[in-house]
Amino acid sequence: MTNKPAFVLVHGGLHGAWTWTDLIALLAEGGFPSLAFDLPGAGSLTQFPSSFLKRPIDIDAFAKEVSPISGVTQDERTDAAVEAVNQAANLGNGKVILVGHSWGGLTISHVAEVVPEKLQSLVYLTALLIPN
């Protein structure tokens, strides 16, 4: 536990928690706790269509196959990030700096509407920012 806020780091599209490995180390050197996680359907939680994995690739089959992650919703991504914010708040001073990169900006905007009392600030790192 520290008197500093914790960071929650939300990756962008086609990324995962691994995106933040170097930053997590730098934050730790400065005494800032941080959490990074894979959003549902991304990072280690992603799944590729079976036709994508076959070689040579059958373009027609790939074009028609429904993505295994097509049912992942923004609500699921928001819930995962809220869970991370709740965990991180207990690691620091109770407040969280929520960082979203690229497509992660969508998620941090939703999280800010769900748990504004837990957030010290939002950081949009070359990220999407949409109105509520």
Side-chain angles (χ1 to χ4, degrees):
M1 186 95 155
T2 176
N3 64 349
K4 295 181 178 183
F7 282 76
V8 171
L9 307 166
V10 182
H11 64 79
L14 305 177
H15 294 124
W18 54 266
T19 303
W20 303 106
T21 302
D22 292 342
L23 180 57
I24 288 170
L26 291 171
L27 289 169
E29 286 177 18
F32 291 94
S34 61
L35 290 176
F37 62 98
D38 288 328
L39 288 167
S44 66
L45 304 176
T46 198
Q47 299 173 358
F48 294 97
S50 60
S51 59
F52 176 77
L53 301 173
K54 294 180 182 169
R55 295 293 183 259
I57 192 166
D58 180 342
I59 298 296
D60 291 331
F62 181 64
K64 294 175 186 169
E65 186 177 354
V66 176
S67 170
I69 61 169
S70 64
V72 175
T73 67
Q74 182 57 55
D75 285 342
E76 290 174 278
R77 291 180 179 109
T78 300
D79 290 346
V82 167
E83 183 178 325
V85 166
N86 288 333
Q87 291 173 4
N90 293 324
L91 298 175
N93 65 5
K95 291 291 185 177
V96 171
I97 297 171
L98 185 57
V99 181
H101 171 249
S102 184
W103 196 252
L106 278 175
T107 298
I108 70 169
S109 293
H110 286 275
V111 172
E113 292 181 357
V114 176
V115 288
E117 71 284 355
K118 295 200 174 176
L119 302 177
Q120 178 173 312
S121 58
L122 296 176
V123 178
Y124 291 84
L125 180 61
T126 59
L128 294 172
L129 172 60
I130 59 171
N132 61 6

